[in-house]
């Protein structure tokens, strides 16, 4: 009886915490439907999509397109490097691998502003400042840690004898990785790619430090718009960011559920 009461109390606290974090974000949806020129909650009889139409202007469309291109590029680079790094660490099985793992995920705990300050000077010297490649690499340096974590977690469920069996049957090291390891960690790879894209899609601090006029992503455009004029179009753009993030989280939950069902089937 006492145990059941404690569980219900913990569950209630968890739901309250989730509501505290999520409900303030949901306010942007009604605000984005206001018919006024300033941020305000609309009345039910005066809902308007005029501020969503603002997102069809060239400046906003360009920023959305750039965010998609950079996000996809970040996902590709992060998945490639993060997957190879995770497989390499999994194969090493030594104290050094734990140290390298800590270094790879270090950007996750370092404040983005500190990373951005360091990249600002380096990117200028390398000629990467205010370029697609420079922005993608900057975002990937932060996102690759998420890929390493998700792929490494998937590798922990793989029997190492599978790779040895493949090698004994004549497969090369590359073939054993491609045909044995990668298919079995595909849920982790997909989760990592999703995290990398969402991180790049939402990132503004690194973008502000490594770009100037040529690169103008959606979060950067929102930041500039807030500084110049508090337009309800900002709420419309922000609602798109929130929806994409929610879809990504839902997809991640679906992937995790499928992976758990696969384990139970085995």
């Amino acid at each position: 009886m006492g145990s059941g009461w404690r569980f219900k109390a913990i569950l209630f606290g968890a739901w309250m915490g989730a509501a505290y974090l999520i409900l303030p974000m949901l306010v942007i949806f009604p605000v984005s439907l206001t018919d006024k020129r300033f941020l305000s909650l609309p009345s039910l009889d005066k809902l308007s999509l005029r501020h969503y139409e603002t997102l069809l202007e060239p400046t906003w469309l360009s920023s959305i397109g750039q965010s998609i291109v950079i996000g996809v590029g970040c996902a590709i680079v992060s998945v490639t490097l993060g997957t190879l790094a995770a497989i390499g660490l999994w194969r090493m099985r030594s104290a050094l691998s734990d140290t390298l793992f800590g270094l790879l995920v270090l950007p996750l705990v370092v404040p983005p502003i500190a990373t951005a300050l360091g990249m600002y000077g380096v990117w200028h010297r390398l000629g990467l400042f205010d370029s697609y490649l420079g922005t993608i690499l900057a975002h990937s340096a932060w996102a690759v840690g998420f890929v390493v974590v998700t792929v490494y977690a998937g590798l922990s469920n793989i029997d190492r004898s599978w790779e040895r069996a493949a090698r004994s049957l004549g497969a090369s090291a590359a073939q054993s990785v491609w045909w044995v390891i990668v298919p079995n960690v595909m849920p982790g790879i997909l989760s990592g790619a999703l995290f990398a894209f969402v991180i790049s899609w939402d990132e503004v601090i690194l973008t502000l430090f490594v770009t100037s006029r040529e690169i103008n992503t959606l979060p950067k455009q929102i930041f500039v718009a807030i500084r110049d004029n508090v337009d309800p179009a900002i709420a419309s753009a922000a609602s798109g960011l929130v929806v994409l993030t929610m879809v990504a989280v839902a997809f991640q939950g679906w992937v995790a559920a499928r992976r758990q069902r696969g384990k139970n089937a085995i």
Side-chain angles (χ1 to χ4, degrees):
M1 185 72 178
S3 177
W5 180 86
R6 285 194 294 269
F7 174 77
K8 291 180 180 178
I10 293 173
L11 187 62
F12 176 77
W15 277 109
M16 291 299 294
Y20 176 78
L21 294 173
I22 295 174
L23 289 180
M25 291 190 299
L26 301 182
V27 175
I28 64 172
F29 291 101
V31 171
S32 68
L33 297 174
T34 183
D35 62 334
K36 298 181 174 58
R37 291 189 173 185
F38 52 89
L39 293 175
S40 61
L41 290 173
S43 56
L44 293 178
D45 59 336
K46 292 184 179 181
L47 299 179
S48 173
L49 295 175
R50 57 179 292 192
H51 301 296
Y52 283 94
E53 295 175 357
T54 303
L55 300 182
L56 299 179
E57 295 178 357
T59 301
W60 287 98
L61 283 178
S62 175
S63 65
I64 293 171
Q66 290 187 29
S67 287
I68 293 174
V69 171
I70 292 171
V72 171
C74 174
I76 293 173
V77 173
S78 300
V79 165
T80 302
L81 297 179
T83 301
L84 293 175
I87 293 174
L89 294 174
W90 177 72
R91 280 180 163 180
M92 288 177 65
R93 293 178 295 176
S94 65
L96 178 60
S97 63
D98 294 335
T99 303
L100 293 176
F101 181 85
L103 291 175
L104 287 170
V105 301
L106 185 61
L108 303 183
V109 296
V110 174
I113 186 66
T115 305
L117 285 171
M119 287 183 175
Y120 176 77
V122 175
W123 261 227
H124 264 292
R125 292 186 177 90
L126 296 178
L128 296 173
F129 184 78
D130 202 22
S131 66
Y132 279 99
L133 178 60
T135 309
I136 289 172
L137 292 178
H139 290 187
S140 299
W142 192 29
V144 71
F146 287 94
V147 179
V148 171
V149 170
T150 57
V151 175
Y152 198 78
L155 288 167
S156 63
N157 298 317
I158 293 181
D159 190 339
R160 297 178 186 273
S161 63
W162 297 351
E163 184 183 14
R164 292 195 295 268
R167 296 296 299 274
S168 68
L169 293 173
S172 64
Q175 289 174 329
S176 65
V177 168
W178 184 252
W179 295 109
V180 177
I181 297 177
V182 170
N184 284 282
V185 295
M186 189 55 67
I189 294 175
L190 292 177
S191 298
L194 192 61
F195 275 122
F197 179 83
V198 171
I199 288 168
S200 176
W201 177 263
D202 291 337
E203 177 54 42
V204 64
I205 297 177
L206 287 175
T207 306
L208 288 173
F209 274 82
V210 300
T211 64
S212 180
R213 296 181 179 179
E214 296 297 326
I215 303 299
N216 186 40
T217 61
L218 182 58
K220 182 180 177 182
Q221 176 63 27
I222 293 175
F223 179 85
V224 173
I226 290 175
R227 184 184 62 185
D228 295 340
N229 181 29
V230 183
D231 192 317
I234 298 169
S236 302
S239 64
L241 292 175
V242 172
V243 168
L244 182 63
T245 303
M246 288 181 173
V247 170
V249 171
F251 180 77
Q252 163 63 17
W254 177 76
V255 171
R258 284 200 61 182
R259 181 167 51 186
Q260 187 60 42
R261 285 198 297 269
K263 291 180 183 176
N264 295 336
I266 296 174

